[in-house]
Amino acid sequence: MENQKKIGETFETFKWTIKDLSKLNTKKIYSQEFFIGGHSWRILMFPKGNKVMFPKGNKVDYLSIYLKVSDAVTLPNGWTRFSKFQLVLINQIDSKLTKAKEAQHTFNARESDWGYTLFIPLADFYDHSKGFIVDDTCIIEAKISVSNQELKKKVDEAAPPASVQVPAKPIEHADNPSSMDMCTISIDELVDFRGLGKIEKSFVPLLDEVCAKHPSVIECQKKRSRRFSEWAFAALGRVLHFLKTKKVRDMDEEACSHLQILWEELETFRFDLTWLEPHVQSALGMKFYMDRCTKVKRVKENVAALEMEMKKLKAMVAAVEIDLETARSELVKVEEGFEERDLDGELGYGP
């Protein structure tokens, strides 16, 4: 990431290079997680436009780009984060034609992403002569304002090791990217965890419980730097908080994707996670279970409806059988002493 000076403020830059753009078969894609100002972010792009923003229309002719708080799901209730930022689409042929848009927003749980639905016409974006796509590759930058206080605490607020950052993946998400949000944790929501660093208050009871059962979790981090331990236990806390607060019914594709990202991040901190992995894998498998559960429920409802229909038909058949027996009895009575004659025979009048 690069630093960029503006009048009265400083921006740090994250560059996202998207290769094989034409091969992406997804409505939206996310960048890898990156850290600026002590917070984690992602860039969110809709390569064919964000149709969610225009539910009455069938087509969005603009590229949509947003900045997203990547850990919004695991943050404490009531969180907010204010930020000034720029979203930049690099022109690889002529830098003077690079498209940049600036915004400011207070991110929160309801608006965890923010940006531009109408960033640039798709016709211009996909026109290779325009320079935004070269060799099937485009480049997007997020430039986020960092306060002077954050810069002075550069060492304390440094991002985790590069190994912690998760590779870019096309991920289908169910959230509404029409909004855009950001978050921050106030100092009174961070508490010291066993002298190993400041941890989100909501994570501490979960970490205490785990460390009491698995002392190796603490031991393996005692020789690490304080900042490394903070990132490590924050990553562990996010996974534990996810497993503690999510229900089986919540494990849709979006939730599974998010958990997978949290788990891959946690693995980089070299905890002994043999005790936790079965629970994570079980949670990840809940997507398949929920799909099966939905199918089973649908088939059960179909069987119940057919059984009800069968009961109705059987009742109708029983009623018809009764009517049939009554009609047969009546036929026997009326046929008694009745002699059938040829209805086409002549009446005659004798010789």
Side-chain angles (χ1 to χ4, degrees):
M1 285 178 286
E2 305 170 354
N3 288 341
Q4 175 191 351
K5 282 278 186 179
K6 274 195 83 176
I7 300 175
E9 57 189 349
T10 299
F11 283 76
E12 287 192 3
T13 301
F14 169 77
K15 180 181 291 186
W16 180 26
T17 301
I18 308 170
K19 299 182 179 180
D20 299 323
L21 190 63
S22 63
K23 297 179 181 179
L24 295 177
N25 185 24
T26 182
K27 295 179 181 178
K28 49 187 169 180
I29 56 175
Y30 291 80
S31 73
Q32 63 265 42
E33 185 177 20
F34 61 93
F35 295 82
I36 291 181
H39 304 298
S40 59
W41 309 93
R42 290 183 192 279
I43 302 172
L44 168 60
M45 181 182 80
F46 287 71
K48 301 298 182 183
N50 182 8
K51 297 181 181 180
V52 178
M53 285 291 291
F54 301 97
K56 296 182 180 180
N58 297 321
K59 192 175 183 181
V60 178
D61 292 326
Y62 282 79
L63 181 72
S64 304
I65 306 176
Y66 309 93
L67 179 66
K68 181 174 180 62
V69 174
S70 64
D71 57 349
V73 176
T74 62
L75 291 171
N77 291 335
W79 67 266
T80 61
R81 180 189 300 170
F82 174 81
S83 182
K84 295 181 180 180
F85 61 92
Q86 299 175 9
L87 294 172
V88 183
L89 178 62
I90 300 296
N91 190 295
Q92 302 173 62
I93 295 178
D94 186 350
S95 60
K96 295 180 181 179
L97 298 178
T98 289
K99 299 293 183 181
K101 296 193 177 185
E102 187 169 342
Q104 60 182 31
H105 180 66
T106 300
F107 295 83
N108 54 62
R110 297 187 66 181
E111 294 183 337
S112 60
D113 50 82
W114 196 263
Y116 297 91
T117 302
L118 308 179
F119 193 91
I120 184 176
L122 290 175
D124 291 342
F125 178 61
Y126 285 104
D127 184 347
H128 290 194
S129 67
K130 300 287 187 180
F132 298 108
I133 300 176
V134 175
D135 295 330
D136 208 19
T137 298
C138 73
I139 301 172
I140 299 174
E141 292 180 346
K143 299 181 179 182
I144 301 176
S145 175
V146 180
S147 69
N148 291 332
Q149 183 179 7
E150 288 171 329
L151 290 174
K152 290 178 182 178
K153 296 180 179 179
K154 184 81 173 172
V155 174
D156 291 334
E157 297 298 327
S163 59
V164 175
Q165 297 189 14
V166 183
K169 297 179 180 178
I171 301 175
E172 285 293 332
H173 245 277
D175 60 344
N176 183 356
S178 61
S179 63
M180 307 157 240
D181 36 85
M182 234 174 198
C183 83
T184 191
I185 301 173
S186 61
I187 194 65
D188 60 349
E189 292 175 324
L190 298 175
V191 297
D192 185 75
F193 178 66
R194 303 194 179 194
L196 296 171
K198 295 288 187 180
I199 305 297
E200 287 90 335
K201 183 188 258 185
S202 60
F203 295 167
V204 172
L206 305 176
L207 292 170
D208 279 331
E209 181 183 9
V210 163
C211 291
K213 294 180 180 179
H214 306 281
S216 64
V217 172
I218 289 286
E219 293 300 322
C220 72
Q221 295 297 331
K222 283 186 175 179
K223 296 181 180 180
R224 310 289 183 190
S225 69
R226 180 180 177 88
R227 191 54 181 159
F228 187 94
S229 295
E230 282 185 349
W231 282 108
F233 283 105
L236 178 58
R238 283 193 287 269
V239 172
L240 297 176
H241 185 269
F242 186 101
L243 296 175
K244 187 72 173 179
T245 57
K246 291 291 184 181
K247 300 183 183 301
V248 172
R249 67 170 61 92
D250 299 327
M251 295 309 292
D252 55 14
E253 186 173 353
E254 176 188 3
C256 287
S257 296
H258 186 70
L259 177 58
Q260 183 66 47
I261 291 171
L262 295 179
W263 178 245
E264 290 175 1
E265 175 184 314
L266 177 58
E267 287 182 311
T268 65
F269 289 103
R270 290 168 283 183
F271 284 109
D272 177 8
L273 300 172
T274 54
W275 56 275
L276 182 58
E277 184 171 9
H279 300 284
V280 173
Q281 296 304 324
S282 175
L284 291 173
M286 289 304 166
K287 171 64 167 58
F288 173 75
Y289 171 80
M290 288 303 299
D291 289 343
R292 288 288 302 275
C293 184
T294 300
K295 185 174 182 180
V296 168
K297 181 181 179 181
R298 184 172 64 251
V299 174
K300 279 185 175 180
E301 290 175 349
N302 187 42
V303 169
L306 290 173
E307 287 177 342
M308 183 64 69
E309 187 67 20
M310 178 64 75
K311 288 181 180 179
K312 292 179 180 178
L313 292 174
K314 285 182 176 180
M316 291 176 62
V317 169
V320 171
E321 287 179 342
I322 293 174
D323 290 343
L324 177 59
E325 288 302 316
T326 300
R328 284 173 174 170
S329 298
E330 184 177 357
L331 178 60
V332 170
K333 292 179 181 179
V334 297
E335 283 186 333
E336 186 175 352
F338 175 74
E339 179 181 352
E340 289 190 7
R341 300 183 64 173
D342 182 5
L343 299 181
D344 293 324
E346 292 183 358
L347 294 176
Y349 53 86

